[in-house]
Amino acid sequence: MSAIISGVGETEYSKSSGRTVLRLGLEATIAACADAGIDPSDIDGVVSYPFSISPEELVSSLQISHLRFSCEVHMGGASAVASLAHAADAIEAGRARHVLIVRARNGYSGPRQSARPSHLPNLALRAQLEAPYGWNVAAQRYAMICRRYMIEHGLTREQMGAVALTMRAHARLNPRAMMHDRELTMEQYLAGRTICDPYTLFDCCLETDGACAVIVSAGDSAPVGRDRVAIRAVAEGRPPFPDDLTNRPDLLEIGLDKAAPMAWEIAGVGPSEMDAAMIYDCFTFELIHQLESAGFAEVGRGGELAESGALRLGGALPVNTHGGLLSEGHLQGLNHVIEAVRQLRRECGSRQVDDARLIAVTGWGDLGDGSMAVLERKTGVAA
Amino acid sequence: MIGPEPHDELFQPYWEGTALGELRVQQCTVCESHRWPPRPVCTSCRSFDSIWRTVPDFGRLYSWTRVEHQSHPEIPPPYTVVIVELDTPDGIRFVGQLRGGDPLALVPGQMMRAVFEPVQGAGYCLVQWTPVDTHMTDRSDDR
C-alpha cells in the first residue's frame, strides 16, 4: 500500500464543548489539513460515519470542488480503523489523493447511550428479545462476554484494574487527556461502583465532547525527504452471527480473530515486531480480549500480561500511550490512529516510545466487529 | 400482533407460544435444524421453509450480568440478565432476567427453568429464568 497519513488534528476533549458536532468536526478537519499542508478544498475523498456529519455538509462547508470518492463504514467503533482501508484503496486506484476521516461528537454533554437511537444491526432482534429484559446498552452486552471469559479462563478484578491503571498512567503524560489531572489507584479502582458486573465504574470508557480528523494521502504527495507514516496493512472482520450475541456459538469469538491474521499477513510482520499497540479499549476486559485475539498474548493469559506491567511505557508492549478511550477520550478509536501517527512521528514528548517504527491499531464495534491496521514510519526517500 | 413494540411478524409464533407457557422456535423443514432467533432462511441449508416447534423450557446457565446502573427507562435496577442454553441439539440460547436464586452465587452450567410472566393486558409473556432447585411461591403455573 502506498498511502500515508499526512495530517492529523483535533479539538480539545471535554465534558462540554459548547459547540455543535458539525462545528467540532470542521475544526478538527481544518486542523488536520493544516497539519498535512493542504487546503481543505484539496480534500477529494471522504470515508464517513453513519448518522454523523455527511459528506455533503463537508463539501458545502469547506468548498470542496470535486469530492471524487466517498463511502460510509458502519461497524461501530471498528469503523475508524476499517476506514483506513477504503481511503488507501481509493488512493491506490487513483480515485482520490486526499481522503478525510473525521469523528465528532458531544458524547458527554449530549444524550447518553441509553437515550441515543441505536445504530446496531438487526434492531428488530434488539427490540423483541433484548430490550424487554433491560439488556440494551454496550456495557451490559460486553459484560456478558467478560463473564463468559471469566468462566472459561479466569480473570481477576486486579487484572482488569491493571488495564485501567495503565491507561490512567499514560493519560497523566498526555495534556489532551480528559483524565490528565486525575490519578487512579488500585484501591480507587476496586471501590468503583458496579455498572453491570463484572464491569465497575473504572472499567468503562469515557464519554467525550470533541472531534478528531485524519487525512490519508497519496504517498507521493509528501515532501521529498520527509519521514512519513505509511499504512502498511488494514483488515476487518466479523464474528459468527455478528447481529446476535446470544446465539453466537462461542461468545468469546470476535471479528479481530479474523482481521488480525489478515493484517499481519498483508503487512508481512507479526505482533512481536510491534513497538506499540493502540487497542480499542471500550472496556478494560475488551483490551485484554483483543490483545489475545491479535496474538500479543496467549488465549487466557492477557490478564497476566496486563498485570506484569508490559503494557506500560517502558514495557515490552506499550499500549494506548495516550490513555485510550478509558482515560484520554472517546472519539470512537480515531484518536487511537492519531496517537499511533504521533508516536511514529516522534512527537509524543514524555510519553514517546523509543525508536517507534511499527504500531498496530485495533478497532472494535457493535457486537464484536473488529479491524486492525499496521502503521509504519518510513524514513524520507527521494520521490 | 403481539409482543414488544415495535411488533414484528417474524416473532409472532414465539410470543403466541409464551401466552400458552411454551417456548417455541423455528425448525427447518428440510434439514430439521432448530434456529433462534427466528430468521427467514435456514442458516444450515438455506431453505426458506420452516415450521415452529415447542422446545423444552429448561437449560443451563451460560453467562450473566448483574445490572446496577439503570439503562432502560422502565426497568429499575438491580436486576440480573442471564443467558440460558437449552439442551436442544442446536444449542439454542435465550436471554431473560433471573427470578429467584442468589445473583451473587450463580454457577455457570447450573440448571435453569423458564418462568412465563404475563405482560398485563398485552396477550403474551416475557420469559424469565429461575434456578431449578429454587422453589418459587408465586408461580402462576405449577409443573
Side-chain angles (χ1 to χ4, degrees), chain B residues 45-59:
Chain B
C45 76
R46 303 219 177 94
S47 167
F48 286 97
D49 291 329
S50 66
I51 55 173
W52 285 78
R53 304 283 272 195
T54 299
V55 291
D57 65 351
F58 53 87

Side-chain angles (χ1 to χ4, degrees), chain B residues 5-110:
Chain B
E5 300 208 6
H7 295 140
D8 195 288
E9 192 179 303
L10 192 56
F11 291 78
Q12 284 308 290
Y14 168 75
W15 294 116
E16 287 162 11
T18 67
L20 302 171
E22 292 182 9
L23 277 186
R24 295 179 183 171
V25 303
Q26 283 178 319
Q27 184 183 33
C28 176
T29 54
V30 173
C31 75
E32 297 188 346
S33 56
H34 295 81
R35 61 176 181 264
W36 190 247
R39 293 181 187 277
V41 70
C42 177
T43 55
S44 295
C45 76
R46 303 219 177 94
S47 167
F48 286 97
D49 291 329
S50 66
I51 55 173
W52 285 78
R53 304 283 272 195
T54 299
V55 291
D57 65 351
F58 53 87
R60 298 186 176 278
L61 183 63
Y62 180 77
S63 191
W64 67 91
T65 180
R66 176 165 176 74
V67 176
E68 296 192 13
H69 182 80
Q70 185 154 6
S71 65
H72 191 298
E74 288 152 40
I75 307 177
Y79 56 90
T80 300
V81 183
V82 296
I83 292 180
V84 174
E85 180 168 320
L86 304 193
D87 277 341
T88 56
D90 305 298
I92 282 169
R93 304 197 194 111
F94 285 91
V95 175
Q97 285 190 8
L98 181 70
R99 290 290 179 262
D102 179 355
L104 302 179
L106 295 174
V107 175
Q110 72 178 84

Side-chain angles (χ1 to χ4, degrees), chain A residues 114 124 127-128 131-134 136 140 143-144 147-148 151 193-197 243-244 246-249 251, chain B residues 4 6 8 11 15 36-37 39 62-66 68-69 71-72 75 79 83 92-93 95 97 108 127-128:
Chain A
S114 53
Q128 293 289 302
Y133 302 102
N136 66 328
Q140 297 161 355
M144 199 73 85
R147 172 61 60 191
R148 188 66 205 169
I151 290 167
R193 65 186 172 90
T194 299
I195 304 299
C196 42
D197 99 289
D243 67 342
D244 180 27
T246 306
N247 279 276
R248 185 169 301 159
L251 204 55
Chain B
D8 195 288
F11 291 78
W15 294 116
W36 190 247
R39 293 181 187 277
Y62 180 77
S63 191
W64 67 91
T65 180
R66 176 165 176 74
E68 296 192 13
H69 182 80
S71 65
H72 191 298
I75 307 177
Y79 56 90
I83 292 180
I92 282 169
R93 304 197 194 111
V95 175
Q97 285 190 8
V127 182
Q128 316 292 9

